[in-house]
Every structure is written in C-alpha cells, then in structure tokens.
Amino acid sequence: PGIAYGSAIGMYKSPNDVIAAVVKTFAGLGALIFSLMMISQFIAYFNYSRMPAVIATTLAHWLGEANIGPIPLLIGFVLVILMLDFIMPGSLPKWAIFAPIFVPLFVRLGVPAQTVFAAYRVGDSPANTLTPLMVYFPVIVTFAQRYVKKSGVGSLVALMMPIAGAVLVTWLALLIVWYL
C-alpha cells in the first residue's frame, strides 16, 4: 500500500526511490537495534552468571521465613516497580531485567507467573505520565503549551498526579480482587 500510494502521488518515480525510502526508514532504527543488542547482552550475561536464581532463592527463603502473605508481597512489588519507573520508564528493558528474579521468587512463594506479570503492569503504567524520562513526555508538554502557554513539566506533573494516583489505587484493587 505504501508503494501504491507513493506512486499515485508522484513520490516514487522509479524502484530506486522506493529502495531509498526503505533505507531511510531502517537507518533511523540503528540506535534502537544497538540498544536492544546491549540489553540482550546484559541479560544473557546476567542469566549466565546464575545471579537471578541465587537472588530469587535467597529472597524466597527470607520472605518464606518472614511469613508475609502474597497480597502484601504483590503490593510491595507494585510499589517497587512504580518507583523504578521514574528512573527507568521503558517497560521492556525493566521487565527483561526483573523477570528472571521476581517470577521464580513469586512462584516459589506460591504466586503464579501471570499474577506477577499483572502486578508488574499495574506498577509500570501509572507513573508513565509523571516521569520526564518518558519518550512521549516532551510531546505531551508541547501539546499542553498549545492550549495553555504557561504550562511546563511541573504543571503537567501536578495535573497528572491525582489521575496517576487514582489509576494506581483502582488497578491495585482490581489486582487484589482478581488474585483472590
């Protein structure tokens, strides 16, 4: 469809124009591919070192002795992910780093893996509108300034904080009801 549209509007006059457009598109993906390679290497070495298993086993032992129920542990996990979202807003890299530790940890404590992932998503999303490190944050600020000239990072965060709090509380309640 892209080639047909480009030909119809006169953007593509020869096959070389189509190839140039494809090359331009993939040239912009170089930084993403490099970042994903670095993340994959870190995860591979991290898993190769067996550190996730050691950490998960040790934490499961400590938490098992502490006799903390699964609901407080899930709430604590949500809060940890929520705090980390301010310094590491990307969902995929954060899950790739923490899943090898927290999934076996919670499975050893009797919490299914799908519940851990649901708790991760509950903790990951409310702070996305609050962290200036989010990729789309500058776009949101720009749109806000179109309608309110004085708006900036602080006013946007102040505006979104009650909404993020309501989303967090609601989703935590839904997670708990779903788990029970």
Side-chain angles (χ1 to χ4, degrees):
I3 294 171
Y5 178 75
S7 297
I9 65 169
M11 184 175 172
Y12 302 139
K13 294 180 178 49
S14 72
N16 290 338
D17 294 337
V18 175
I19 293 170
V22 171
V23 168
K24 181 180 176 187
T25 300
F26 282 106
L29 296 176
L32 174 67
I33 291 170
F34 181 74
S35 297
L36 291 174
M37 185 195 72
M38 296 303 291
I39 291 169
S40 67
Q41 289 298 309
F42 171 78
I43 293 168
Y45 285 124
F46 189 58
N47 289 335
Y48 178 76
S49 71
R50 305 259 191 235
M51 285 303 297
V54 170
I55 293 169
T57 304
T58 305
L59 285 175
H61 178 71
W62 288 347
L63 292 172
E65 286 182 357
N67 244 355
I68 301 172
I71 300 287
L73 287 175
L74 286 170
I75 292 171
F77 177 66
V78 166
L79 295 177
V80 165
I81 296 301
L82 179 73
M83 292 300 138
L84 287 172
D85 204 31
F86 286 102
I87 59 172
M88 184 188 241
S91 296
L92 184 64
K94 197 169 25 190
W95 177 249
I97 291 169
F98 292 113
I101 296 171
F102 285 107
V103 170
L105 167 69
F106 277 98
V107 167
R108 286 179 189 257
L109 295 172
V111 178
Q114 65 269 19
T115 305
V116 179
F117 183 65
Y120 171 79
R121 295 302 298 157
V122 167
D124 182 54
S125 59
N128 284 341
T129 58
L130 302 177
T131 177
L133 297 176
M134 182 182 67
V135 176
Y136 301 112
F137 199 82
V139 175
I140 296 169
V141 171
T142 303
F143 281 126
Q145 287 174 344
R146 178 183 292 173
Y147 299 104
V148 180
K149 298 290 181 202
K150 292 182 183 179
S151 61
V153 173
S155 58
L156 189 64
V157 169
L159 178 69
M160 295 306 295
M161 197 162 306
I163 296 168
V167 167
L168 177 65
V169 169
T170 303
W171 286 359
L172 263 176
L174 288 172
L175 176 69
I176 292 168
V177 168
W178 177 70
Y179 181 73
L180 296 176

